[in-house]
Each structure stands twice: as structure tokens, then as C-alpha cells.
């Protein structure tokens, strides 16, 4: 079996959204990991009805939206995916009744749901200068790397969660699925409390950057986040983004200082180094250090001003409504983004800095890779080629391996019971 790097088509082709309806049936038939997906959604089949009462939503061509679908088993779900070839699959909550029976029911309530997080690059438009809106490059993606590290450590260390699935959204963001049983059974107030705990940013007002406020001492979770972001601040904010070089960026830096007198003095000093973010930041730090050492500390709010500013420009921008919502729908892993054609692949949070969103394969790339592999190995005979599953012939293989490893660890926790042998062997 060749390594996935050998099978990948190195030159990524431009994706044409108009051909997506023709490609999706092939993708779902040959590449979508149906068996692993069912293993995840059924949670080892140790919890009654956890799969059969789960809501699945399909978005079809021309934005036809089908909600409250539910299925009895993997085969039924797989057949429906083949039949509909959805542009997007969304995963909802597990309900107290089968979602497909919701009509006429007055008692339908969500009873279980993964704790989910959604981070979108557009929420960084207030601080990134390289791109805006739906555009993403490797420079601004570093903000996502920080977000992944900060949240992953907080969820594991502060809440004890272990089974986190990180997924690229297909265009400009990342999703995190916390799949521990304790997380799935959280009620709405508990989800809200976790979301608020992790959301340390407060609105700074129109035209300014969201702020972080530290009072008498730094909370241990904020201190841990600062330990992660501080070494990266210069590279990302001062060099890659050069945030303070333009007047609007300098204004956002000055807005970090709430005391008008101090802000006025600082503004005068920074006028001597305009246009260079690194020099501006050096003067900013020196200004407040001089205030501290001189004893001219007119406002206790400047005690952590440097730390607050670094965090304000780097801390994760969370969509907390997604996390708080018990029955919020979220795009499934391995979907194809309809505009970019890219696959929503899982990635390893421990090496998030190596993940390149611009190099994620499109559905077009994957199908070309399968064809290229088959053509190259024709001499070995049709029987030999058919024994190798199609996804193993493509650059999606890495994402599938990460998903498989996540499932393996998750299945080890199901009441001490292993998954059925047929599922563990997974001859896919």
C-alpha cells in the first residue's frame, strides 16, 4: 500500500461548483467513510436509540432543506445519502422521539448532543489584514492554530474532556466536537456556563477590537492561554499582519487604554514610530513599563495592559451561541463544501500549526487521485486494485486515519465494552 503522499495529485485544480451535482454521487459511493461515520453516531451501540433518534439534515441543490430525518441503521442512512447526494449533511441532537415522527408531536425534546464549538475566520476581520470575509491564507490561519491549542487545552485540563474531534469546516473555519458522555449529556445552562467560561473577550465598541479585562490577578485559564499566545504574538500580529502599521490599526491599539489622559500621552509617543508595528509595540510596552517603574501608576487598570492587549489580538473568537444551543445543527465531517469543493477533514490538534487550509483536497482532486492510482496500477490486475479501498488512494487518507484513531479511543470507553468485532476490524 503506497503512502498517501505518493498518490496525491500535487497540483490542485480550480474547483468548478457547477459540476458538484455530477461529482457528489461518485464521492458518496466511493470515498465517504459511511462505516466510520455510523460507528461515531451510534457510540458503540451501548446507548439505546442514540442513533435512531438522532436528527440528520440534508441540504440539496438549490438550497432545498430537509430537516428532522432519522434512520434505523447504517444501511438506511447510506441509501438515503446515495439517493439524495446532499450538498451538505448537518448533524443535530438526539431527541426523545424519532425526529422523523415529529409531526403532530408536542413532546419532542433534545436529550443529548455533543458539546460543539464553531470558530469562523470572518470573526477575525477586526484584526487580520491579509484577508477578509470568506478569504483565508496561511498567514491568517495561524489565528485558527492558536484557537485550536487554547480551546483544546482548556477543555481537557479544566473540564476533563478527552474525546475531542477537530474538523476543518471546508472554507474558513474549524469545528470542535466534544464527544465524552458527560459532555453529550450537559443541559443548556451547563453548556452556556462552559461557553461563557471560555469566552473571555468583551466587545470593545464599534471600530475597535474586542477586549480582555484582567482584574487583580490572572485567572489560571487565562494565564494558560497567555502562555500559548505570547510567543506567537510578534510573528502573527506584528510581522504577518503588521496590524498597527495603518492608522485604523493604531487606533485599535490605543483603544486598549481606557484612561483618556494615559491614552493621550501614549498617542503622542507613538507618533514618532508610525508605520512599523514592531517599533510601535516596543514603544507601547516601554511606555507602560516606565509608568510602573516610576511609580506613576495613576490607574490600577494598566497593571495587565500588555497581557490584555496580546490576548485581545490573539484569543479565540468563539460563536458562543453554537455552543450554548442544545439542538444547533452543525456540518458533518467529510462533507464537501459547495463553494470551495474542499472536504471537511479532521485534523490533529497537536500539530495544528502544520495544517494548511489552502492545501486541503477538493472533491475534484480526490476523484482524479483515484483514477490516477488505478491507471498506474492497472498492470497489477483489476482484482488487486479492488482490494484497496478508494479513500486510501487519495490525500483524504490522513484525515480518515485521524478519524479512525479518534473512534478507537472513544470506543474504549463504552462501559468497558469493546465495539463488536466486525466494527473494530473495519475492513474498509
Amino acid at each position: 500500500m503506497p503512502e498517501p503522499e505518493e498518490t496525491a495529485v500535487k497540483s490542485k485544480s480550480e474547483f468548478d461548483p457547477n459540476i458538484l451535482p455530477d461529482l457528489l454521487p461518485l464521492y458518496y459511493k466511493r470515498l465517504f467513510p459511511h462505516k466510520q461515520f455510523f460507528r461515531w453516531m451510534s457510540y458503540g451501540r451501548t446507548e439505546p436509540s442514540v442513533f435512531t433518534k438522532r436528527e440528520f439534515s440534508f441540504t440539496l441543490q438549490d438550497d432545498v432543506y430537509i430537516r428532522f430525518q432519522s434512520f434505523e441503521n447504517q444501511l438506511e442512512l447510506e441509501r438515503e445519502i446515495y439517493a439524495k447526494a446532499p450538498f451538505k449533511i448537518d448533524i443535530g441532537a438526539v431527541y426523545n422521539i424519532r425526529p422523523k415522527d415529529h409531526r403532530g408531536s408536542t413532546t419532542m425534546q433534545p436529550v443529548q448532543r455533543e458539546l460543539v464549538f464553531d470558530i469562523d475566520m470572518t470573526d477575525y476581520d477586526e484584526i487580520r489584514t491579509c484577508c477578509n470575509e470568506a478569504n483565508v491564507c496561511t498567514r491568517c490561519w495561524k489565528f485558527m492554530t492558536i484557537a485550536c491549542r487554547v480551546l483544546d487545552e482548556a477543555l481537557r485540563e479544566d473540564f476533563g474532556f478527552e474525546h475531542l474531534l477537530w474538523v476543518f469546516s471546508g472554507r474558513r473555519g474549524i469545528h470542535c466536537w466534544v464527544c465524552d458522555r458527560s459532555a453529550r449529556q450537559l443541559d443548556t445552562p451547563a453548556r452556556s456556563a462552559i461557553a461563557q467560561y471560555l469566552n473571555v473577550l468583551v466587545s470593545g465598541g464599534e471600530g475597535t477590537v474586542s477586549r480582555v479585562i484582567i482584574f487583580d490577578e490572572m485567572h489560571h485559564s487565562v494565564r494558560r492561554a497567555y502562555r500559548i499566545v505570547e510567543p506567537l504574538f510578534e510573528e502573527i500580529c506584528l510581522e504577518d499582519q503588521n496590524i498597527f502599521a495603518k492608522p485604523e490599526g493604531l487606533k485599535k491599539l490605543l483603544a486598549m487604554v481606557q484612561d483618556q489622559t494615559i491614552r493621550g500621552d501614549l498617542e503622542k509617543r507613538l507618533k514618532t514610530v508610525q508605520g512599523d508595528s514592531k517599533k510601535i509595540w516596543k514603544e507601547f510596552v516601554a511606555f507602560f513599563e516606565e509608568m510602573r517603574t516610576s511609580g506613576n501608576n495613576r490607574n490600577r487598570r494598566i497593571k495587565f495592559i500588555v497581557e490584555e492587549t496580546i490576548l485581545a489580538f490573539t484569543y479565540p473568537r468563539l460563536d458562543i451561541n453554537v455552543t450554548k444551543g442544545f439542538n444547533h445543527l452543525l456540518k458533518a465531517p467529510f462533507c464537501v463544501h459547495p463553494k470551495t469543493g474542499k472536504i471537511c477533514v479532521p485534523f490533529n490538534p497537536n500539530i495544528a500549526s502544520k495544517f494548511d487550509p489552502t492545501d486541503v483536497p477538493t472533491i475534484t482532486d480526490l476523484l482524479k487521485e483515484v483514477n490516477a492510482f488505478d491507471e498506474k496500477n492497472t498492470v497489477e490486475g483489476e482484482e488487486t486494485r479492488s482490494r484497496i479501498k478508494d479513500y486510501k488512494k487519495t490525500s483524504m487518507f490522513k484525515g480518515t486515519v485521524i478519524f479512525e484513531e479518534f473512534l478507537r479511543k472513544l470506543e474504549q470507553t463504552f462501559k468497558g465494552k469493546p465495539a463488536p468485532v466486525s466494527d473494530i476490524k473495519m475492513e474498509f
Side-chain angles (χ1 to χ4, degrees), residues 368-385:
K368 285 182 178 179
E369 288 168 8
V370 172
N371 291 335
F373 182 96
D374 288 348
E375 289 176 6
K376 181 180 178 181
N377 293 274
T378 298
V379 293
E380 298 180 17
E382 186 67 30
E383 184 179 348
T384 301
R385 287 187 288 120

Side-chain angles (χ1 to χ4, degrees), residues 93-325:
V94 177
Y95 287 85
N96 59 335
I97 66 170
R98 286 175 170 79
K100 64 184 178 182
D101 299 330
H102 75 284
R103 295 186 185 280
S105 172
T106 58
T107 60
M108 181 172 167
Q109 296 291 334
V111 296
Q112 186 180 134
R113 175 73 164 108
E114 292 81 9
L115 181 66
V116 294
F117 295 86
D118 182 6
I119 309 171
D120 195 305
M121 200 75 247
T122 56
D123 293 326
Y124 288 78
D125 283 354
E126 63 177 4
I127 54 177
R128 61 175 179 158
T129 60
C130 55
C131 305
N132 62 5
E133 298 179 349
N135 300 306
V136 175
C137 69
T138 54
R139 284 185 294 168
C140 56
W141 191 258
K142 293 176 183 179
F143 287 116
M144 287 293 172
T145 298
I146 285 178
C148 180
R149 288 184 58 191
V150 169
L151 287 179
D152 195 79
E153 289 197 22
L155 289 166
R156 294 180 190 277
E157 295 181 17
D158 295 349
F159 298 98
F161 296 134
E162 298 179 21
H163 304 288
L164 280 61
L165 178 65
W166 288 92
V167 183
F168 171 55
S169 70
R171 190 177 195 181
R172 59 173 184 257
I174 55 178
H175 298 156
C176 177
W177 301 76
V178 186
C179 300
D180 300 63
R181 184 191 296 269
S182 58
R184 289 182 277 128
Q185 295 179 343
L186 290 169
D187 58 16
T188 299
R191 291 166 191 269
S192 297
I194 291 175
Q196 294 293 350
Y197 175 88
L198 294 171
N199 187 42
V200 304
L201 294 170
V202 296
S203 175
E206 186 175 354
T208 62
V209 171
S210 298
R211 296 169 47 228
V212 174
I213 299 176
I214 302 172
F215 293 97
D216 292 333
E217 66 178 282
M218 197 181 293
H219 188 274
H220 72 88
S221 66
V222 178
R223 188 183 306 113
R224 181 181 55 237
Y226 182 74
R227 172 180 55 80
I228 293 171
V229 305
E230 191 273 334
L232 300 169
F233 175 76
E234 179 174 331
E235 174 192 337
I236 297 174
C237 295
L238 306 184
E239 295 175 2
D240 289 349
Q241 301 298 327
N242 200 10
I243 295 175
F244 310 133
K246 293 184 178 180
E248 57 267 28
L250 184 58
K251 180 182 177 181
K252 291 173 181 177
L253 177 63
L254 291 168
M256 294 290 116
V257 183
Q258 299 302 295
D259 185 288
Q260 292 186 7
T261 303
I262 296 176
R263 185 167 64 241
D265 293 341
L266 175 63
E267 184 174 11
K268 292 176 184 176
R269 178 160 174 170
L270 295 184
K271 283 182 178 179
T272 62
V273 288
Q274 289 185 10
D276 186 322
S277 290
K278 292 179 76 169
K279 291 180 179 179
I280 289 171
W281 179 248
K282 183 178 180 180
E283 288 299 319
F284 181 92
V285 173
F287 177 83
F288 288 105
E289 183 60 28
E290 290 167 11
M291 287 192 68
R292 291 192 187 99
T293 55
S294 68
N296 187 20
N297 189 348
R298 299 192 294 258
N299 191 328
R300 62 186 296 185
R301 281 288 303 113
I302 70 165
K303 179 180 179 181
F304 292 106
I305 187 66
V306 172
E307 293 84 350
E308 288 175 345
T309 302
I310 290 174
L311 286 163
F313 283 92
T314 54
Y315 194 85
R317 269 69 178 156
L318 300 177
D319 185 343
I320 62 172
N321 290 325
V322 172
T323 303
K324 291 161 65 174

Side-chain angles (χ1 to χ4, degrees), residues 70-92:
S70 57
F71 305 94
E72 294 302 308
N73 49 50
Q74 176 191 329
L75 183 58
E76 190 175 309
L77 171 60
E78 197 168 333
R79 284 174 174 169
E80 193 66 10
I81 290 175
Y82 290 160
K84 296 285 198 303
F87 276 44
K88 185 174 68 160
I89 302 172
D90 283 306
I91 300 173

Side-chain angles (χ1 to χ4, degrees), residues 39 44 406-414 417-419 424:
R39 282 170 63 191
F406 160 79
L407 289 173
R408 185 187 67 79
K409 292 179 180 178
L410 182 65
E411 288 171 343
Q412 290 175 348
T413 69
F414 296 146
K417 299 177 182 177
I424 293 180

